[in-house]
Amino acid sequence: MFSQSEENYIKAIYHLEVSPNKGISTNAIAEKLETKASSVTDMIKKLSEKELVAYKKYQGVKLTFHGRKVAANIVRKHRLWEVFLVEKLNFSWDEVHDVAEQLEHIQSPKLINQLDALLGFPTHDPHGDPIPDKDGNLNMIDKKLLSTLEINEIGLCVGVEDSSSEFLQYLDKKNIELGKTIKVIEKEEFDNSVIIEINQKRISVSNKIANNLYIKTS
Amino acid sequence: MFSQSEENYIKAIYHLEVSPNKGISTNAIAEKLETKASSVTDMIKKLSEKELVAYKKYQGVKLTFHGRKVAANIVRKHRLWEVFLVEKLNFSWDEVHDVAEQLEHIQSPKLINQLDALLGFPTHDPHGDPIPDKDGNLNMIDKKLLSTLEINEIGLCVGVEDSSSEFLQYLDKKNIELGKTIKVIEKEEFDNSVIIEINQKRISVSNKIANNLYIKTS
DNA sequence: AATAATTTTTAGACAAGTCTAAAAAATGAT
DNA sequence: ATCATTTTTTAGACTTGTCTAAAAATTATT
Ligand SMILES: [Mn+2]
Ligand SMILES: [Mn+2]
Ligand SMILES: [Mn+2]
Ligand SMILES: [Mn+2]
């Protein structure tokens, strides 16, 4: 249907569209895909030709309805594969992304439907990100960054903003896992670090951590 | 490591090398990959450059030791994925090949090792073909085509020569499955069809079937 | 051994995807 | 409003993998 490159571009644009706002800039796409702006312009023209994006010179780019469906399906596959790798093949959450980046391009509706069933129709991937359904709908849960919580607020770890190996391994080392309960004990004005209670212990986490960990307050 | 195209060529040559015999002809590769002879010549030069094949103009091509290892690993991945699709995702044996053709190109040694473990270290794929181990060794079982059996010989269905959907679905319809016992009752000289006993019933199978079904006689 | 048929290679072209360098447009600062 | 900076697009080139048509080499036939 679409080439691997085309799919990667579509997905990048999808992830850059936080709300149905302005067009996405050529540079933003280039940065996300670690490519050059000129290459992005070239590809955008092709995607526009195929009506996956709406594009007017110098005005950035937006996904069409169809483009958004295509993107959601790629994201669906990516996240289902990540769940598979963790649940069935004993990968840890910091190892799955690169492999999923390849697996997301496999074309077989039956494969992905059966995988979904094998995994028990999961709603979120190992990093807490929602898995789009067959129609591309995803149910966002209401979560906030740890850094935005008030003192004494209690919540559940439900996701990460940064999915880099380094960050995930750091969380592992600190025994911070999705599903665990966190309470904010103290917020340090000086460096914006936060003292939290988790695993019946009090630990201090830097602002960088607090800015990349999502909490669901009930 | 290698491109998808390069991998497909290497695998095709591997499959065409029945015994360590003559070099494989350009035309044979072209036919197997449904491409043109000129394209094959081009690619062969690249593979030769990378020392995956030994090539002398007009003399055909042979895998090097290294090339054979690379090929066996691709075949290993292909067959393990086929087992996965059948055992874990409820695919039937006639549906797996095309998806495996894509999955075989995923690069991740951990993925394939864990998959192997999840499946219980299978030795054969759903069509009865042996799965190479990590070093590329495969244990061939001693099997013969049904058409070569004598009257009253008894054996186990262990593989198919032709893996086309059409043939596999035909076997399904006739209730012929790998693992079942077959006895040759009669061989018809006229059209080379064979009357066999399977599932406690006697049925006649055409020469075309008998030439594509492998039997292991104990 | 000479000629005919077949196979293989070469030459030249094309599409996809990428890059660098330069031109054009948009944005920001005085 | 003018000039400077940044962003985006264009122009031209390169790589990979493919193709068609023609040339060269091999193999088969008389
Ligand atoms: Mn991911
Ligand atoms: Mn990808
Ligand atoms: Mn197969
Ligand atoms: Mn393949």
Side-chain angles (χ1 to χ4, degrees):
Chain A
M1 203 62 186
F2 302 108
S3 76
Q4 203 146 316
S5 278
E6 288 172 328
E7 291 195 347
N8 284 338
Y9 275 92
I10 286 293
K11 192 181 64 157
I13 297 165
Y14 178 85
H15 281 137
L16 289 166
E17 277 188 344
V18 280
S19 53
N21 50 357
K22 297 275 123 128
I24 306 302
S25 79
T26 303
N27 264 358
I29 299 168
E31 193 180 0
K32 176 146 265 205
L33 291 176
E34 295 178 272
T35 183
K36 295 297 150 88
S38 54
S39 306
V40 174
T41 304
D42 287 345
M43 180 58 89
I44 279 173
K45 286 178 186 166
K46 291 173 201 164
L47 297 176
S48 177
E49 205 59 49
K50 297 189 176 185
E51 310 210 49
L52 292 165
V53 300
Y55 169 63
K56 278 201 298 258
K57 269 193 194 176
Y58 294 100
Q59 311 251 133
V61 75
K62 279 180 176 187
L63 290 175
T64 60
F65 182 78
H66 180 218
R68 190 165 297 106
K69 284 233 163 186
V70 171
N73 191 244
I74 301 164
V75 171
R76 171 174 164 76
K77 290 193 280 181
H78 182 103
R79 293 182 178 163
L80 281 172
W81 279 116
E82 287 191 341
V83 174
F84 170 73
L85 293 171
V86 166
E87 296 293 317
K88 300 294 178 183
L89 298 192
N90 289 109
F91 276 61
S92 59
W93 67 342
D94 62 292
E95 295 176 311
V96 297
H97 185 78
D98 291 347
V99 187
E101 203 61 38
Q102 299 177 60
L103 287 162
E104 71 188 0
H105 302 292
I106 303 291
Q107 314 278 176
S108 168
K110 174 159 187 172
L111 170 59
I112 211 67
N113 288 336
Q114 292 295 104
L115 190 64
D116 195 18
L118 176 73
L119 299 171
F121 308 101
T123 58
H124 293 79
D125 80 5
H127 314 109
D129 295 314
I131 297 172
D133 68 19
K134 282 171 218 178
D135 303 315
N137 305 115
L138 39 90
N139 75 335
M140 298 291 287
I141 65 176
D142 186 37
K143 61 192 180 184
K144 346 185 204 178
L145 288 176
L146 171 56
S147 54
T148 67
L149 296 205
E150 302 301 323
I151 289 179
N152 283 327
E153 268 198 286
I154 296 179
L156 238 54
C157 298
V158 292
V160 290
E161 171 62 29
D162 171 10
S163 293
S164 70
S165 261
E166 302 78 54
F167 179 58
L168 299 178
Q169 281 173 21
Y170 178 85
L171 293 181
D172 283 344
K173 203 163 69 185
K174 294 278 178 185
N175 257 292
I176 300 171
E177 283 176 47
L178 300 196
K180 284 188 172 169
T181 302
I182 275 189
K183 180 176 180 182
V184 175
I185 303 298
E186 206 179 316
K187 303 181 71 169
E188 182 57 70
E189 294 294 320
F190 171 64
D191 62 357
N192 289 309
S193 66
V194 188
I195 296 178
I196 59 172
E197 189 175 283
I198 184 171
N199 301 315
Q200 285 95 260
K201 272 185 297 194
R202 289 181 178 198
I203 60 174
S204 168
V205 297
S206 70
N207 177 250
K208 188 166 178 184
I209 306 301
N211 265 326
N212 284 293
L213 185 59
Y214 283 111
I215 308 296
K216 191 185 81 180
T217 56
S218 59
Chain B
M1 202 61 185
F2 302 108
S3 76
Q4 203 145 317
S5 279
E6 288 172 329
E7 291 194 346
N8 284 338
Y9 274 92
I10 286 293
K11 192 181 64 155
I13 297 166
Y14 178 85
H15 280 136
L16 288 166
E17 276 187 344
V18 279
S19 52
N21 50 359
K22 296 274 124 124
I24 306 301
S25 78
T26 304
N27 264 358
I29 299 168
E31 193 181 358
K32 176 146 264 204
L33 292 175
E34 294 178 272
T35 181
K36 295 297 150 86
S38 55
S39 307
V40 173
T41 303
D42 287 344
M43 180 59 89
I44 279 174
K45 286 178 185 166
K46 291 174 201 162
L47 296 177
S48 177
E49 204 60 48
K50 297 189 178 185
E51 309 209 51
L52 292 165
V53 301
Y55 168 64
K56 277 202 298 262
K57 268 192 195 176
Y58 294 100
Q59 311 250 132
V61 76
K62 280 180 177 188
L63 290 175
T64 60
F65 182 79
H66 180 218
R68 191 166 296 105
K69 285 233 163 187
V70 171
N73 190 245
I74 302 164
V75 171
R76 171 173 162 77
K77 291 193 280 180
H78 182 103
R79 293 182 178 164
L80 281 172
W81 280 116
E82 287 191 341
V83 174
F84 171 74
L85 293 171
V86 166
E87 296 294 318
K88 301 292 179 183
L89 299 191
N90 290 108
F91 277 61
S92 59
W93 67 341
D94 62 293
E95 297 175 310
V96 297
H97 184 77
D98 291 347
V99 187
E101 203 61 39
Q102 299 177 62
L103 287 162
E104 71 188 0
H105 301 292
I106 302 292
Q107 314 277 180
S108 168
K110 175 160 187 171
L111 170 59
I112 211 67
N113 288 336
Q114 293 295 105
L115 188 65
D116 195 17
L118 175 73
L119 300 172
F121 308 102
T123 58
H124 293 79
D125 81 3
H127 313 108
D129 295 314
I131 298 174
D133 67 19
K134 282 171 217 177
D135 302 316
N137 305 114
L138 39 91
N139 76 336
M140 298 291 288
I141 65 176
D142 186 37
K143 61 192 181 184
K144 345 184 203 177
L145 287 176
L146 171 56
S147 53
T148 68
L149 295 205
E150 303 300 324
I151 290 179
N152 282 328
E153 269 198 286
I154 296 180
L156 238 53
C157 297
V158 293
V160 291
E161 171 63 29
D162 171 9
S163 292
S164 70
S165 263
E166 302 78 54
F167 179 58
L168 299 177
Q169 280 172 22
Y170 178 84
L171 293 181
D172 283 344
K173 203 164 69 185
K174 294 278 179 185
N175 257 292
I176 299 171
E177 284 176 46
L178 299 195
K180 284 188 174 170
T181 302
I182 275 189
K183 180 175 180 183
V184 176
I185 303 299
E186 207 179 316
K187 303 182 71 170
E188 183 56 71
E189 294 294 320
F190 171 64
D191 61 357
N192 290 309
S193 66
V194 187
I195 296 178
I196 59 171
E197 188 175 285
I198 185 170
N199 301 315
Q200 286 94 259
K201 273 184 297 192
R202 291 181 177 196
I203 60 174
S204 167
V205 297
S206 71
N207 177 249
K208 188 165 178 187
I209 306 302
N211 265 326
N212 283 293
L213 185 59
Y214 283 113
I215 308 296
K216 192 183 80 179
T217 56
S218 58

